[in-house]
Amino acid sequence: MVTRKRFDDSDCPVARSVDAIGDWWSLLIVRDAFDGSRRFGEFQRSLGVAKNILSARLRALVAGGVLESVPASDGSAYREYVLTPKGKALFPVIVALRQWGEQHFYAPGEPHSRLVDSRKEQPLRMLEVRSADGRPLDPDDTTVHKVTTP
Amino acid sequence: MVTRKRFDDSDCPVARSVDAIGDWWSLLIVRDAFDGSRRFGEFQRSLGVAKNILSARLRALVAGGVLESVPASDGSAYREYVLTPKGKALFPVIVALRQWGEQHFYAPGEPHSRLVDSRKEQPLRMLEVRSADGRPLDPDDTTVHKVTTP
DNA sequence: CGGCATCCGATCGGATACTG
DNA sequence: CAGTATCCGATCGGATGCCG
């Protein structure tokens, strides 16, 4: 049988991450979770994804420890999906993808959504990435760095 | 006809990035490019991917402006694939994925590869992510930030 | 509303053979 | 070595209907 190649046993952390996330849908679900979505219907409306696909992805993300299924906070009979610490740790990935998209796929001044948390409505805060020794980064530097959020 | 949903016209930068990268293979190709791979065979051996798939992905990445096809530097008749500035800008994405994988898919002390650039063999440099106003990041903070590399 | 089951066309991707 | 071409099973994923 010809199975799809897996990367969960690769010796590369990037490959293992890729394998654990699963597919793009999952990443967009995580994005929506950071953006405040918690309910099945919220994800579904936001993503425009088929319900069976969403269902399968949510299940996989819960199984992978990225999301956690908890009782609805409003007392209804349904479940809500919230990010686990492991899921929250994907924040830099989402931010990095967002940055790349903003830099390369938008005309200057073209508006785009999801710049702030839709729930808290907090303004954008600027972060800087700099080396620990204070030297600025060479944009052409392709060395593999280790990024930590202190 | 039922076509796969595209995100290139989404108003979300994350979705546009996801759409532009295409699939996980493409991301791993970019990872290898950061790691020093340039030749078709290098990518093929490193990834273990079928040649037709690799061929298609390389073509898509070149078409998308992430890679550039240049004459081989050693004078041979073949092509090499190097990162464009747009491709190099994916560096934070790769690093973020690597970090997540290191934190969640490796036993403490378990070795993993690709921690340094295989060509330059430079040592790991530590980066810190901090807010521009100097305050440390709250790990529970789900606000959407903007990350810049000055 | 939140989900599961089923169908089925579209796409993915591994294997292999072939070319220069 | 660097691809291209073709085959074909496996998987993806949109649409739809059903149910509590």
Side-chain angles (χ1 to χ4, degrees):
Chain A
M1 187 179 57
V2 182
T3 21
R4 162 87 162 278
K5 183 162 309 205
R6 300 300 305 268
F7 302 104
D8 52 314
D9 63 340
S10 165
D11 59 351
C12 171
V14 180
R16 289 201 193 182
S17 293
V18 155
D19 197 79
I21 295 172
D23 67 357
W24 292 134
W25 280 127
S26 305
L27 206 55
L28 295 180
I29 290 171
V30 170
R31 174 206 63 182
D32 276 3
F34 276 117
D35 215 37
S37 292
R38 304 167 68 93
R39 299 285 285 253
F40 189 94
E42 288 184 283
F43 292 110
Q44 217 248 315
R45 269 191 310 280
S46 168
L47 294 170
V49 63
K51 292 197 293 181
N52 50 351
I53 304 295
L54 176 59
S55 178
R57 289 296 161 268
L58 286 174
R59 214 177 315 122
L61 287 170
V62 169
V66 174
L67 292 181
E68 188 182 6
S69 173
V70 303
S73 51
D74 62 353
S76 64
Y78 305 119
R79 314 289 301 171
E80 291 186 350
Y81 301 90
V82 299
L83 290 165
T84 63
K86 183 176 177 179
K88 288 179 182 174
L90 276 173
F91 186 61
V93 175
I94 303 290
V95 172
L97 282 170
R98 177 188 312 276
Q99 286 294 304
W100 193 64
E102 288 173 351
Q103 290 167 6
H104 296 92
F105 301 106
Y106 283 86
E110 181 184 359
H112 46 271
S113 69
R114 303 179 192 283
L115 280 179
V116 294
D117 183 286
S118 64
R119 182 171 302 256
K120 302 192 205 163
E121 294 292 349
Q122 293 183 353
L124 198 63
R125 285 169 59 205
M126 301 291 290
L127 304 182
E128 287 178 285
V129 178
R130 55 177 65 257
S131 59
D133 55 15
R135 282 181 295 155
L137 291 183
D138 174 6
D140 264 14
D141 183 2
T142 58
T143 315
V144 174
H145 302 269
K146 184 173 177 62
V147 173
T148 56
T149 59
Chain B
M1 187 178 60
V2 182
T3 21
R4 163 87 160 279
K5 184 161 308 204
R6 300 301 305 268
F7 302 105
D8 52 313
D9 61 341
S10 166
D11 59 351
C12 171
V14 180
R16 289 200 192 182
S17 293
V18 155
D19 197 78
I21 295 172
D23 67 358
W24 293 133
W25 280 127
S26 305
L27 206 55
L28 294 179
I29 290 171
V30 171
R31 173 206 64 181
D32 276 2
F34 277 117
D35 215 37
S37 291
R38 303 167 70 93
R39 299 284 285 252
F40 188 94
E42 288 184 283
F43 292 111
Q44 217 247 315
R45 269 191 311 280
S46 168
L47 295 170
V49 63
K51 292 198 292 181
N52 50 351
I53 304 296
L54 176 58
S55 177
R57 288 296 161 267
L58 286 174
R59 215 177 312 123
L61 287 170
V62 169
V66 173
L67 292 181
E68 188 182 6
S69 172
V70 302
S73 51
D74 63 353
S76 65
Y78 304 121
R79 316 288 301 170
E80 291 185 352
Y81 301 89
V82 299
L83 291 165
T84 63
K86 183 176 177 179
K88 288 180 183 174
L90 276 173
F91 185 61
V93 175
I94 303 290
V95 171
L97 281 170
R98 177 187 312 276
Q99 286 294 303
W100 193 66
E102 288 173 351
Q103 290 166 7
H104 295 93
F105 301 106
Y106 283 87
E110 182 185 359
H112 46 268
S113 68
R114 303 177 191 284
L115 279 179
V116 294
D117 184 286
S118 64
R119 181 173 302 256
K120 300 193 205 163
E121 293 293 348
Q122 292 184 354
L124 199 64
R125 284 169 60 203
M126 300 291 290
L127 304 182
E128 288 178 285
V129 178
R130 55 174 68 254
S131 59
D133 54 17
R135 282 180 295 155
L137 291 182
D138 175 6
D140 265 15
D141 184 2
T142 59
T143 316
V144 175
H145 302 269
K146 184 175 177 63
V147 173
T148 56
T149 59

